[in-house]
């Protein structure tokens, strides 16, 4: 049986192998900046609501927050990559 630490490390390894930016663009996440911050956050428009002034971000860096989506307004959603896909049904209908 795996420990909680081993499961966490396995999850991080999977996320490290995913091209987060490309997958987010396939999910129709609209990045509004070509660059990410020093801590890996790339600005985007919020999902599930109108967002004229981009108020969300996805972490595309290499740290423990890689793949995390954070909406800084609205409900203040903070979701891991797979939670994000499930919440917005972003993997449905894939080829």
């Amino acid at each position: 049986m795996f420990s909680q630490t081993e499961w966490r490390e396995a999850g991080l390894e999977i996320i490290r192998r995913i091209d987060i930016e490309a997958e987010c663009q396939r999910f129709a996440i609209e990045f509004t900046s070509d660059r990410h911050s020093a801590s890996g956050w790339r600005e985007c428009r919020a999902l599930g609501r109108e967002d004229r002034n981009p108020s969300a971000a996805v972490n595309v860096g290499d740290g423990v927050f890689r793949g995390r989506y954070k909406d800084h307004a609205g409900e203040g959603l903070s979701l891991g990559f797979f939670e994000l896909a499930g919440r917005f049904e972003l993997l449905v209908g894939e080829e």
Side-chain angles (χ1 to χ4, degrees), residues 5-86:
T5 301
E6 289 169 320
W7 277 115
R8 190 174 322 120
E9 284 301 316
L12 288 172
E13 183 58 31
I14 291 167
I15 291 294
R16 284 185 194 111
R17 293 173 184 246
I18 295 173
D19 183 339
I20 296 296
E21 290 175 275
E23 292 303 316
C24 285
Q25 289 171 332
R26 282 187 44 204
F27 293 167
I29 289 176
E30 183 184 347
F31 287 113
T32 56
S33 173
D34 292 335
R35 301 175 192 201
H36 58 78
S37 69
S39 56
W41 293 97
R42 187 166 173 199
E43 186 179 86
C44 65
R45 297 202 187 281
L47 292 173
R49 64 181 182 81
E50 187 175 332
D51 192 19
R52 290 187 191 127
N53 298 312
S55 59
V58 174
N59 192 294
V60 298
D62 294 323
V64 295
F65 293 114
R66 179 174 174 78
R68 180 156 291 277
Y69 167 87
K70 175 69 176 135
D71 186 346
H72 298 282
E75 295 177 38
L77 288 177
S78 180
L79 303 169
F81 182 75
F82 296 112
E83 295 168 303
L84 171 67

